[in-house]
Amino acid sequence: MASHAGNPQSASNSLLRSSISFFHIVFMVTAAAAPLVVVSAYIPISLAGGAGMSVALTYAATTFILLIFTVGFAQMAKRITSAGAFYTFATQGLGRPVGLAVGFTVMAAYSMISPAIAGGFGFYTTKLLSAYFGLDIAWYWCSIASLALMFMISFYRITYGASILSFLLAVEVLVILIVCLATVGSGGASGQMPEAFSLSQWSTAPAVGIGFFLAFWSWIGFETTAIYGEETMDPKRAVPRATYIAVLTLGLFYTFAAYAGIVGFGAEAPGKAGTLIDQYYFELADIHTIHTVRVIMDFLVITSFFACSFAFHNNATRYLFSLGRDGILPKSLGSTHSEQKSPYIAAAVQATIAIVTVALFALAGADPLLHLGTWLPIFCTLAVIVVQFIVSLAVIGYFNRIGRSGPLDWWKTILAPILGAIAQAVVVWLLLENITFLAGSEIMVVKLIPLYVAIIALAGFGYALWLRNSDRSRYDMIGQLHDEEMMDAFVDEMYVADGRSPN
């Protein structure tokens, strides 16, 4: 048996095992997707200047593509349980340097998504407080207060945060469904429009590439299922099932909501979306339901932004925790609370990073939506899609090493990951082609976003190579498994891959 490098897992660096149910995972990954934010912002933007009348078809096609990616992802999740998720998957499949490059990249992405979404929270909260309560509070104070609250909640057991997200999500989805069902049920402006699902609609779309990018953007964070594997009951079954269900249910939900948006205004939908933008579905609520529903939606936009930002706060926290536990970042980050078993130090660091980010944008006089809420998500989305491309390749590499047992395994671990990688590469290309349009700016800081992602990834890769030459024991900890059933096999395999004896 190999002698493991580093400290053994103990009560001080272990998460609360079997504390999260299958349904909690589904709720948390769906909350990260922020359905009301997608419906109220991304779908109207796509209708106006992206996929146009093919927006529902585009969301349906994106669902199919992500389900193919999920095939390989689920096979890894059945065998690997780690709070590091993509970081550990990439290490397992492509080696430690690539794994650390992925770990740094996805950690930076999720760390920045939380303050970016908190900017939207601050913007809409300021508007709501002014409209309904006559209070004049700057957006950045609302954003900072929300981030501080996220830390307070995440200090306690993960089940507390999961319960909050579950409740907010249930109300959010229910209200959106009421609006969409009422719109479709009434026949909208000119009756049902099955032609919205005709492939010919893509040929008339204003910018179908932007439509696909916005659709993929709507799913960012569905890796949440694997991040919580160590805290989940029966993770080998729960995580793959939760991933499939989250991707499929979100896909059906988005596709139906997009179709309802088309039916609502009929042939005039793209023009109306260009005029109304973030008020598009609120207008449908006023037309097809009672005004109370519109008022509820005004408040739910706030909770949707909060739930989304909080979900990514938890994601980033667990990457900081995982890299700290492995000794790659300061080990204190890998500590858990003695009673709550929460990664409270990593949560505090993530909250601090987010608050400082919001403060810097505020001091620069940036707009919370146009700058903080757009530029950072573009960086984050590009980083995550690049990581998903690498993870698709990692699935192939991992199963090349451990072997395959039959024809079905070839589909799950070679063909599906190849198709997934191709799809992610196409989306990266679409993003790079349209990056200044999506950011609404031609300034250099936006044009250099791809360079920022490359620098972070290269920093992780280079750091791993430096550790390999200067601190072999820490290098051996990169992507370490903390699932005791697999620990020995992993260490032995990785030693052999490095050309060394495991003993």
Side-chain angles (χ1 to χ4, degrees), residues 18 23 84 118 174 248 413 426 432 454 461 493:
S18 301
F23 291 105
L174 177 62
L248 186 58
T413 63
V426 170
L432 296 177
F461 191 89
E493 285 177 359

Side-chain angles (χ1 to χ4, degrees), residues 166-483:
S166 299
F167 173 76
L168 294 178
L169 178 68
V171 177
E172 180 182 334
V173 169
L174 177 62
V175 171
I176 299 171
L177 283 176
I178 289 172
V179 173
C180 292
L181 287 169
T183 301
V184 174
S186 69
S190 53
Q192 304 305 316
M193 303 187 68
E195 63 270 23
F197 293 99
S198 169
L199 297 180
S200 63
Q201 293 289 349
W202 276 329
S203 64
T204 60
V208 70
I210 292 171
F212 267 104
F213 169 73
L214 289 169
F216 273 90
W217 193 342
S218 303
W219 267 272
I220 289 297
F222 75 91
E223 178 218 359
T224 297
T225 53
I227 289 176
Y228 295 109
E230 291 184 45
E231 301 160 88
T232 304
M233 305 171 189
D234 192 12
K236 299 295 190 293
R237 293 180 58 195
V239 170
R241 286 172 56 210
T243 308
Y244 278 116
I245 289 175
V247 170
L248 186 58
T249 54
L250 279 172
L252 293 173
F253 179 82
Y254 291 152
T255 301
F256 177 65
Y259 176 71
I262 294 171
V263 170
F265 291 106
E268 302 299 318
K272 284 285 188 180
T275 302
L276 296 170
I277 303 294
D278 64 322
Q279 294 300 306
Y280 189 85
Y281 281 85
F282 292 82
E283 188 77 10
L284 290 178
D286 270 339
I287 294 171
H288 299 288
T289 66
I290 58 176
H291 183 66
T292 302
V293 174
R294 163 67 180 265
V295 173
I296 293 173
M297 288 177 69
D298 284 337
F299 283 85
L300 285 178
V301 166
I302 307 301
T303 62
S304 183
F305 271 100
F306 180 86
C308 180
S309 183
F310 181 49
F312 282 106
H313 165 85
N314 284 329
N315 288 7
T317 292
R318 275 152 182 77
Y319 272 106
L320 287 167
F321 166 80
S322 185
L323 287 165
R325 182 174 59 179
D326 288 351
I328 308 306
L329 294 181
K331 284 184 179 273
S332 58
L333 290 170
S335 301
T336 55
H337 192 272
S338 59
E339 180 182 350
Q340 303 295 337
K341 295 298 181 185
S342 61
Y344 68 109
I345 296 178
V349 170
Q350 169 53 32
T352 302
I353 291 172
I355 289 171
V356 169
T357 301
V358 168
L360 290 174
F361 271 83
L363 288 171
D367 184 277
L369 286 185
L370 297 180
H371 302 135
L372 179 60
T374 301
W375 294 356
L376 284 184
I378 290 174
F379 160 77
C380 301
T381 303
L382 175 61
V384 171
I385 294 174
V386 168
V387 164
Q388 289 177 179
F389 168 81
I390 295 172
V391 169
S392 293
L393 301 181
V395 173
I396 299 171
Y398 176 73
F399 284 95
N400 281 347
R401 188 173 72 246
I402 69 170
R404 299 174 177 85
S405 59
L408 191 58
D409 271 2
W410 285 86
W411 150 247
K412 292 179 179 178
T413 63
I414 291 186
L415 183 56
I418 288 174
L419 294 175
I422 292 171
Q424 306 300 325
V426 170
V427 176
V428 168
W429 176 77
L430 292 173
L431 194 159
L432 296 177
E433 284 290 301
N434 297 284
I435 195 166
T436 54
F437 171 84
L438 291 164
S441 175
E442 292 278 350
I443 68 171
M444 189 58 65
V445 70
V446 170
K447 292 181 177 180
L448 290 178
I449 285 175
L451 180 62
Y452 308 149
V453 175
I455 289 173
I456 292 169
L458 288 173
F461 191 89
Y463 185 35
L465 294 180
W466 180 80
L467 287 175
R468 187 171 67 184
N469 295 324
S470 63
D471 193 339
R472 197 74 195 206
S473 63
R474 290 177 66 198
Y475 177 77
D476 291 338
M477 293 290 286
I478 295 174
Q480 176 178 255
L481 289 174
H482 294 267
D483 181 338

